[in-house]
Amino acid sequence: AQSVTQLGSHVSVSEGALVLLRCNYSSSVPPYLFWYVQYPNQGLQLLLKYTSAATLVKGINGFEAEFKKSETSFHLTKPSAHMSDAAEYFCAVSDESRGKLIFGQGTELSVKP
Amino acid sequence: KAGVTQTPRYLIKTRGQQVTLSCSPISGHRSVSWYQQTPGQGLQFLFEYFSETQRNKGNFPGRFSGRQFSNSRSEMNVSTLELGDSALYLCASSVTTVGDTEAFFGQGTRLTVV
C-alpha cells in the first residue's frame, strides 16, 4: 500500500533562511508525488508535482523538490523564506488504482521576522 | 477560468440532522473527489465521481454518500450527523482520475456539529 510520511509536524525558520520540509513515501510502483500548501481557512493549492520527467522539480513561489528514489524521499525546499510562506504544507502520493491522493499529516511552517 | 466552488462555506448542524454540501468543478473537469480534513485524522479520501459514476470510495460509513450530475457538479450528503463529523470538507476536481493529473481544490465547507 502506498503511504506518505512527513517528518516534523511543525517547522520554524527565520525570514531569509532555508526552508526544508521532509517527505518520505512508500509505493510499490513508480509514484506520482505532489506538494500542496494550505493557508488558514483555505483549500489546497498545488506547489509542484513529480511525474517522472525530471528528478528536480520547480514549483511556484520559489519552491522546489528533489525526487530521490534510493531514499524514497521528496523533500521540499526554498532557499530563502518569506513571511508569506507561513502555512501548512502537505506531501501527497497518487493512488491511481483507487483514484485518490494519499496525504501526509502535514507540516506547519512558521516564519519568524 | 473559475475555480472549484464549494457551498456553503460554513455550516452549523445539530447531532442527528443531515446535511448536503455542494461542489461545482472547473469547467471541463469530469472527476470530482471529496476529502474530509480533521486535526486528528488529517486529510482522508471520501469518494470520487467521474461522469456521474462513483468510481472509488474511502473507508467511511454509509451515512456518507454523494452523487454527481450530468454537468459534473457534485453533492455530498451526510445523514444522522455525529459530533465527530465536524470537519473541513474539501472537494477537488480534475480533468480525469488523479494519476499525474493535478487536482484543484475548493476552499472547503466547514461543518460544525453541535
Side-chain angles (χ1 to χ4, degrees), chain A residues 38 41-42 49 98 101, chain B residues 9 35 37 56 99-100 107:
Chain A
Q38 185 178 36
N41 296 315
Q42 298 293 319
K49 66 178 182 180
R98 294 185 177 84
L101 291 168
Chain B
R9 289 291 312 277
Y35 292 82
Q37 185 178 22
N56 296 286
D100 64 343
Q107 291 187 305

Side-chain angles (χ1 to χ4, degrees), chain A residues 62-77:
Chain A
F63 285 94
E64 63 181 37
E66 186 173 8
F67 173 73
K68 292 187 176 180
K69 184 177 179 180
S70 61
E71 299 177 7
T72 60
S73 68
F74 190 55
H75 301 331
L76 181 70
T77 60

Side-chain angles (χ1 to χ4, degrees), chain A residues 30-93:
Chain A
Y32 299 128
L33 295 162
F34 305 81
W35 274 100
Y36 282 88
V37 61
Q38 185 178 36
Y39 298 99
N41 296 315
Q42 298 293 319
L44 302 175
Q45 181 184 11
L46 182 69
L47 283 174
L48 49 81
K49 66 178 182 180
Y50 168 75
T51 58
S52 77
T55 57
L56 183 62
V57 182
K58 293 188 183 299
I60 62 171
N61 302 337
F63 285 94
E64 63 181 37
E66 186 173 8
F67 173 73
K68 292 187 176 180
K69 184 177 179 180
S70 61
E71 299 177 7
T72 60
S73 68
F74 190 55
H75 301 331
L76 181 70
T77 60
K78 183 174 180 178
S80 177
H82 192 272
M83 296 296 290
S84 61
D85 294 327
E88 189 152 22
Y89 292 79
F90 292 92
C91 181
V93 64

Side-chain angles (χ1 to χ4, degrees), chain A residues 98-99, chain B residues 30-34 45-58 60-62 64-69 74-77 97:
Chain A
R98 294 185 177 84
Chain B
R30 296 167 66 189
S31 172
V32 174
S33 299
W34 290 88
F45 172 76
L46 282 155
F47 28 65
E48 184 225 359
Y49 286 86
F50 185 87
S51 294
E52 302 180 65
T53 301
Q54 186 184 89
R55 296 209 296 191
N56 296 286
K57 191 174 192 305
F60 279 82
F64 291 81
S65 63
R67 58 178 175 170
Q68 187 180 33
F69 302 96
S74 177
E75 288 182 347
M76 188 191 108
N77 184 275
T97 296

